Amino acid sequence: MVVAPDKFKGSVSAAVAATALAEGLRSVSSLPVVQFPIADGGEGTVDMLMTAGFSPITCAAVDPLGRPVKVVYARSGRTAVIEAAAACGLALLGGRAPNRTTARISTTLGVGMAVRDALSHGVDRVVLGVGGSATTDGGAGLLVGLGARLLDEHGDPVYPSGADLPNIHRIDLNGIDQRLYDTDLVVACDVDNPLTGPDGAAHVYGRQKGAGPDTVRSFDRALEHWADVVTAHTGQDRRGTPGMGAAGGIAFAMAELLGARVTPGIDLLLELGGFPDLLDGAALVIVGEGSLDEQSLRGKGPVGVARHAHARGVPVVAVAGRSTVRAEEALSAGIDSVYTLAELEADEMASMRDAVALLNIVGATIARDRLGDLGSRHP
């Protein structure tokens, strides 16, 4: 059996969820259980790959507000995997943030610094997992962290924040790290939002980053201006391409100016982590996350895992804090059945608080329901 949940947001990490479910399974079944906590590019991505054998590397960078921060990323051979959120994530804001001020001044500068550090370790493929960012700077900060200069109409440098994007009139890439052009750059993301417009980075994600309605609208205009500047530099316009709005526009800057590939995070990370090999002979795969909903069905981690398992003929069940997915929708996504913590504890706060105990119970229930006498500890 393979236990491969994502995090239960606000409650337990993917690793804790996997352990709790595995303990429940082992209490009923003697079948081998492999724990494979997952992430799809956001928080937990580096932990996932280190569990799969990658080595940690620590570098100095800055957080979204420009303060010093240590970033840990994963490396195996000539491949490095970096979580953007480790340098520009909401969790780094602290205090009463996010708020309107942090939304306006947050930058991805530290992400560029981390990518540059990875290049110094001899890698020729850098995978940037995006998700959970505090930024809406269109990836401008990342470019500056890599050596680019963003200039105003007078030729003076512009600070690379979302609020300052309208001041940028020209991009100077002469100082950018030349090793980038010999590197396979990959953006791993789980969203399909364009950079701008009603489904873009500002309108869809701005409020969760502290932006009020007026700031959201100003951000969208700022990103439109930034896209105009980038288009003038490259001669192409990809602001409307799905995925360009990931992490406040990091994907846009990397794809347009650095030639990065943008790919669904979960598929790439499962490959890097060796997940397909775990499916050989597996009796069951268990996926999970805090809320199984419409957004999950658009390709988030658990559904990506289910798709791979289903293609190999391995049955899949999902565990969620709550689920709004209909049975037929789950089946279409490769999930045979769904178990929720809400069935055991209706109070959401209590369910989140007692998630480990509830996941343990659900693991035991799944073993009884799905495995029958196969490997049963109780003949």
Side-chain angles (χ1 to χ4, degrees), residues 64 96 155 180 203 222 230:
R96 298 180 179 177
L180 289 163
H203 281 289
V230 172

Side-chain angles (χ1 to χ4, degrees), residues 158-362:
V158 175
Y159 187 74
S161 70
D164 289 299
L165 289 179
N167 299 323
I168 300 172
H169 281 256
R170 184 166 64 87
I171 301 169
D172 178 3
L173 296 182
N174 289 326
I176 205 160
D177 196 313
Q178 295 300 299
R179 294 172 296 184
L180 289 163
Y181 299 115
D182 296 317
T183 303
D184 180 21
L185 299 173
V186 185
V187 180
C189 71
D190 66 346
V191 302
D192 57 5
N193 305 88
L195 180 68
T196 59
D199 296 321
H203 281 289
V204 175
Y205 301 108
R207 294 192 181 186
Q208 71 186 43
K209 301 177 184 184
D214 290 343
T215 304
V216 165
R217 287 189 288 270
S218 69
F219 274 169
D220 192 56
R221 292 192 296 270
L223 290 170
E224 288 282 7
H225 172 79
W226 170 236
D228 290 342
V229 174
V230 172
T231 297
H233 183 93
T234 64
Q236 61 181 357
D237 187 352
R238 296 177 62 186
R239 77 189 74 186
T241 302
M244 294 296 103
I250 284 180
F252 174 75
M254 289 192 67
E256 281 283 70
L257 292 164
L258 302 177
R261 296 181 289 119
V262 180
T263 186
I266 189 60
D267 293 335
L268 175 61
L269 294 170
L270 289 176
E271 176 190 344
L272 289 174
F275 178 77
D277 295 337
L278 300 180
L279 296 175
D280 292 335
L284 181 69
V285 169
I286 301 174
V287 301
E289 65 178 335
S291 177
L292 190 67
D293 51 30
E294 182 180 353
Q295 191 174 21
S296 305
L297 297 175
R298 296 176 71 177
K300 290 181 73 67
V303 170
V305 173
R307 186 171 61 245
H308 281 265
H310 183 74
R312 296 278 292 274
V314 181
V316 179
V317 300
V319 180
R322 63 182 181 88
S323 174
T324 58
V325 173
R326 299 191 306 274
E328 58 269 27
E329 292 176 320
L331 284 171
S332 296
I335 297 170
D336 298 294
S337 57
V338 178
Y339 294 75
T340 68
L341 304 190
E343 295 174 67
L344 300 174
E345 175 54 75
D347 183 273
E348 184 174 350
M349 295 304 295
S351 177
M352 294 175 68
R353 183 187 64 240
D354 300 329
V356 170
L358 296 173
L359 288 166
N360 191 272
I361 294 170
V362 171

